[in-house]
Amino acid sequence: YVGFCTYMMAGSRLQYFWFVCGFVAVLVCMDAGFDSVNAFNTAILRSQETGLGILTYSIVAILLWPQHSTKDLNAIVATLASTQQQLLQTCFDITNNQTDAATVNNLTLNESQALSRFSQLLNTAESDSEEVRELRQQWRQYQKSTQALTQEMARWRETATDLQTLNIQQLLPNFIEFTAELNERLVLINTMATNQEPDRQPKKITLNIDEIKVQGLSHFQQAALAIAQTRLQQLDKTTFSLFNSMSAIKRFDYTEKAIESVPSSSKIFVLDPDRLLSVIRIIMIMWIAYLSLIYVDSIPGGPGFVTMSSVFGMILVTTPQLPVTKLVVPLSGSILFASLIYIFVMPHMSSFLSLAVLLFTVTATICYLFSTPQQGLSKALGLALFLNIASISNPQIYSFLVVTTTSVMFILTLLVLLISAYFPVSLNPEQVFLRLLRRYFRNCEYLYSHIKNTSQPSGLIEQYKQRLHLQDLVKVSQNLSSWLPVIKIKNLSGTSAEQLPLLVTSLQKLAVQTQLLFDSTAYSQSPSLIQPLQKGFFDWQYKLNKISKKLSFDPSSANNDILSLELKRTIATMEKSLEDTLNQEGENQVSKQHREHLYSLLAAYRTVSAAIIDYAAYTKDIDWVHCNEQRFV
């Protein structure tokens, strides 16, 4: 049961709910023992304590210090819109070589942080603001649109680099006007976020293309331009949807719904390997603690040792980036502080009034000193250990054994948690990073070996497997980012602090391009065009699969020079094959739609290959030898 609660806790918005469900069950079981009456009384007492806490907090939050997240929510929406507007403009500047990678990376990081903060505040505001709760559907649609805009901008950035050698303003005559309109929409959204009515409505604008000048381009350049046009049109729809959602939220008089709202990407259910590992770890922690209680005579803490191990275990296994050693300092400080109060202050008190003053003073001091979110762990430990060591009851009994027993119990708890950090698998950040890389390329290996270059539909089982691997590919790239802050660069001699983030960024790009590649394979293709190119596509696919298989065993084995040379040869071969095919077929006999679909497929293969080359370039100077070392610090 606790394993199930831990699994749900690791991936749910209701993390605290599942945490309470898990540790309260352990607390009731361990306190009750084999006495069913005691179990009932303990459960009722726990319910009363929780109910009293909720009632007290609600009264304070409603009557004394009412808190509403609406103001903070509007502020972060304005910040997010401004950041996305700057990032969008920077994305358009890429086509003219007017921006640099550092600017894009900084804005991308700011956007990611703003999106995370927006999600947190929206969840909070739905609970404490009637206005936000009433319009929660519109707010959720706006959230989906912002996430979609993030994805579309990432896809455009990959496309824009292929247009740097082209005169985009000649090929797309109204490119400047089109991009200016998209930028202006985000400015209008920012205006509405501050409760100001926009001075104009968004204009519908069509992206024109100069067909005559396009004919003079190579086929791969035409492919890049066709993809760029598709990306820009998708950005147009997404920004329009954003404007519609915000105007509905702010109740401005604008009801134009000509463009459909952005659909959310559906996710299929699959057991998450990372969350399953958390389940295995918490069950192992509980078994070690429970067997110790049975077989170690007079173990410090008794049933409380099992309870504490379970509580701390649920917290740590769902945040594996937090090392057990990080608990030592706040835990020691909390025990020392609570012990001093228990030994030198509490014996001199004789009334409820003095106890009340003490409780208020200690609580206020701890909450004041550890008020920032980063100090949340220290605050929780300080409050919990003070109440645990104080052992307030009638009659009150003081004993130095309470302090020593509690100290030893938590030392044993840390030992059990430390064991789970290395068994069954090591949670050393560098080794976790390598495991995730291998898992990432195993997904790539499967996907690249199951590409279909025709529009023939795959079976339902095959479609399920593809979606599963694509979904896991994105998840792994996100997990890699979460492990970056805890990797100790000093242990990797010769590796700079910028290299690993760039490596992860290249993998995130590869995940996006792989998704686009599979999207492109779903387009209908002209048999007369696709058949002569099948051998070239097969060779390209074989190379991608071979590289991925090699990287799944050794993520450091990629050689960007060799890969780049192979890519250039493949592009040249495919370019010639396509040229010969079109000359034989006659371009007028092939519909524009089929040419665009083929160009999309060619561009997708090319961008996937380029993303792998970028990854290989970043692996050269990373100290992979020390990444594989076993360390217990």
Side-chain angles (χ1 to χ4, degrees):
Y1 171 76
V2 175
F4 171 75
C5 291
T6 303
Y7 185 91
M8 299 302 296
M9 178 184 170
S12 171
R13 288 196 298 127
L14 305 175
Q15 290 186 352
Y16 187 68
F17 169 79
W18 290 109
F19 177 54
V20 172
C21 287
F23 87 79
V24 169
V26 178
L27 187 148
V28 172
C29 289
M30 299 310 300
D31 280 358
F34 297 101
D35 188 345
S36 59
V37 175
N38 190 27
F40 178 80
N41 291 335
T42 302
I44 293 299
L45 178 60
R46 186 69 198 183
S47 301
Q48 291 174 333
E49 291 175 346
T50 303
L52 180 60
I54 293 173
L55 178 62
T56 304
Y57 180 85
S58 300
I59 292 175
V60 172
I62 294 173
L63 300 180
L64 298 181
W65 290 287
Q67 297 290 327
H68 300 291
S69 305
T70 307
K71 183 178 179 181
D72 292 337
L73 179 63
N74 288 330
I76 196 63
V77 167
T79 301
L80 178 59
S82 176
T83 303
Q84 289 189 321
Q85 186 269 326
Q86 296 177 51
L87 185 57
L88 186 63
Q89 182 59 55
T90 305
C91 291
F92 293 145
D93 290 340
I94 292 176
T95 58
N96 299 322
N97 292 308
Q98 294 178 354
T99 188
D100 59 286
T103 302
V104 175
N105 289 337
N106 288 335
L107 287 172
T108 302
L109 178 61
N110 293 338
E111 180 195 35
S112 176
Q113 293 173 344
L115 278 171
S116 177
R117 181 63 176 158
F118 170 61
S119 178
Q120 294 172 359
L121 286 173
L122 182 56
N123 292 336
T124 304
E126 284 185 354
S127 301
D128 62 26
S129 173
E130 182 64 30
E131 180 183 359
V132 174
R133 185 162 56 250
E134 181 182 351
L135 298 170
R136 58 183 176 274
Q137 292 183 351
Q138 289 83 349
W139 275 109
R140 290 299 176 185
Q141 178 58 45
Y142 183 84
Q143 183 184 32
K144 292 177 183 177
S145 297
T146 56
Q147 293 169 348
L149 180 60
T150 299
Q151 296 173 357
E152 292 302 328
M153 287 193 294
R155 293 173 178 177
W156 165 256
R157 286 196 296 274
E158 298 307 308
T159 304
T161 55
D162 294 331
L163 304 177
Q164 292 177 343
T165 58
L166 304 178
N167 191 330
I168 191 69
Q169 296 181 27
Q170 289 186 1
L171 299 170
L172 302 174
N174 63 337
F175 176 77
I176 300 297
E177 180 185 358
F178 186 89
T179 56
E181 170 61 21
L182 300 189
N183 270 300
E184 184 61 25
R185 290 177 187 175
L186 293 181
V187 173
L188 295 174
I189 292 170
N190 195 356
T191 301
M192 289 190 289
T194 57
N195 296 317
Q196 300 178 40
E197 187 170 0
D199 56 3
R200 72 174 184 87
Q201 307 298 339
K203 296 185 297 184
K204 294 181 182 179
I205 184 169
T206 303
L207 185 64
N208 300 322
I209 188 168
D210 192 326
E211 298 289 350
I212 298 177
K213 294 182 179 178
V214 168
Q215 298 300 322
L217 302 177
S218 69
H219 295 297
F220 274 88
Q221 289 175 329
Q222 292 185 43
L225 189 63
I227 294 296
Q229 185 182 25
T230 302
R231 298 283 171 267
L232 289 170
Q233 290 171 345
Q234 192 59 44
L235 282 170
D236 175 42
K237 292 182 180 180
T238 306
T239 53
F240 205 102
S241 175
L242 271 173
F243 185 92
N244 282 338
S245 299
M246 183 53 66
S247 62
I249 289 170
K250 298 301 179 180
R251 292 187 169 93
F252 291 121
D253 187 18
Y254 183 67
T255 56
E256 177 66 55
K257 300 295 179 185
I259 298 181
E260 295 293 332
S261 59
V262 177
S264 58
S265 57
S266 58
K267 291 186 177 182
I268 58 176
F269 173 76
V270 60
L271 291 175
D272 190 321
D274 297 317
R275 292 162 69 180
L276 285 176
L277 178 60
S278 299
V279 173
I280 294 173
R281 289 182 63 202
I282 188 61
I283 292 177
M284 186 181 74
I285 288 170
M286 293 183 66
W287 270 112
I288 293 175
Y290 191 65
L291 291 175
S292 300
L293 174 65
I294 294 175
Y295 291 107
V296 178
D297 188 27
S298 302
I299 190 169
F305 170 60
V306 181
T307 303
M308 286 296 104
S309 298
S310 303
V311 170
F312 282 93
M314 290 185 71
I315 295 173
L316 285 178
V317 301
T318 52
T319 53
Q321 295 84 1
L322 178 65
V324 178
T325 53
K326 288 288 185 182
L327 293 176
V328 174
V329 173
L331 198 58
S332 302
S334 299
I335 291 176
L336 178 61
F337 174 76
S339 300
L340 292 175
I341 298 293
Y342 177 76
I343 295 172
F344 296 105
V345 178
M346 290 186 64
H348 299 287
M349 297 187 306
S350 59
S351 66
F352 170 77
L353 179 61
S354 58
L355 177 63
V357 172
L358 176 69
L359 290 174
F360 177 82
T361 303
V362 171
T363 303
T365 301
I366 293 175
C367 292
Y368 179 79
L369 294 177
F370 303 104
S371 58
T372 62
Q374 295 80 3
Q375 298 172 312
L377 180 61
S378 298
K379 178 171 66 176
L381 287 175
L383 294 172
L385 286 173
F386 168 69
L387 294 176
N388 183 277
I389 291 178
S391 306
I392 300 171
S393 63
N394 285 323
Q396 183 75 19
I397 300 175
Y398 299 99
S399 172
F400 186 71
L401 287 176
V402 173
V403 176
T404 56
T405 301
T406 302
S407 302
V408 176
M409 179 185 71
F410 277 103
I411 291 174
L412 294 176
T413 300
L414 289 179
L415 180 61
V416 172
L417 297 177
L418 194 61
I419 292 173
S420 73
Y422 293 95
F423 303 99
V425 295
S426 172
L427 292 183
N428 182 290
E430 291 81 13
Q431 298 207 340
V432 173
F433 194 81
L434 282 174
R435 282 202 304 271
L436 289 173
L437 283 178
R438 295 188 182 101
R439 176 176 153 194
Y440 181 96
F441 285 108
R442 284 196 297 271
N443 285 318
C444 289
E445 180 189 356
Y446 177 86
L447 290 169
Y448 298 151
S449 64
H450 289 77
I451 298 175
K452 301 189 67 170
N453 297 313
T454 62
S455 56
Q456 296 178 357
S458 304
L460 292 178
I461 295 179
E462 180 61 30
Q463 290 180 23
Y464 175 83
K465 289 181 178 179
Q466 288 178 3
R467 291 178 61 192
L468 186 153
H469 284 280
L470 284 169
Q471 186 172 301
D472 194 55
L473 197 66
V474 175
K475 179 175 177 55
V476 172
S477 64
Q478 294 171 347
N479 287 351
L480 286 168
S481 296
S482 67
W483 280 94
L484 283 178
V486 296
I487 292 179
K488 297 179 180 178
I489 299 296
K490 65 180 182 181
N491 292 333
L492 309 177
S493 58
T495 304
S496 66
E498 296 80 16
Q499 285 175 313
L500 287 178
L502 290 173
L503 184 76
V504 172
T505 300
S506 68
L507 293 175
Q508 292 173 341
K509 293 179 180 178
L510 179 58
V512 172
Q513 299 306 330
T514 302
Q515 176 65 66
L516 294 178
L517 174 58
F518 274 82
D519 291 344
S520 299
T521 60
Y523 297 151
S524 62
Q525 301 287 352
S526 169
S528 58
L529 280 181
I530 199 69
Q531 288 299 331
L533 302 177
Q534 284 288 15
K535 184 180 183 304
F537 280 129
F538 177 79
D539 291 341
W540 209 334
Q541 179 181 343
Y542 174 76
K543 289 177 183 177
L544 292 176
N545 184 45
K546 182 179 178 182
I547 293 168
S548 300
K549 185 175 183 178
K550 186 178 181 181
L551 292 174
S552 67
F553 290 100
D554 183 8
S556 64
S557 61
N559 187 315
N560 67 305
D561 294 329
I562 296 177
L563 292 180
S564 181
L565 182 61
E566 290 183 354
L567 174 62
K568 290 179 180 178
R569 289 175 179 173
T570 305
I571 290 177
T573 303
M574 292 293 291
E575 179 76 19
K576 187 176 184 306
S577 299
L578 182 59
E579 185 73 32
D580 295 341
T581 301
L582 287 175
N583 289 337
Q584 294 175 6
E585 187 71 20
E587 292 201 17
N588 293 330
Q589 299 178 14
V590 180
S591 68
K592 177 183 176 182
Q593 183 184 44
H594 280 146
R595 286 204 307 273
E596 289 183 354
H597 288 176
L598 182 59
Y599 290 158
S600 297
L601 188 59
L602 287 170
Y605 268 104
R606 184 178 181 279
T607 53
V608 165
S609 302
I612 292 181
I613 291 173
D614 286 343
Y615 167 82
Y618 296 130
T619 62
K620 291 191 301 182
D621 299 323
I622 295 176
D623 186 1
W624 295 103
V625 175
H626 287 85
C627 271
N628 281 297
E629 287 183 345
Q630 290 284 355
R631 282 188 295 275
F632 294 92
V633 293

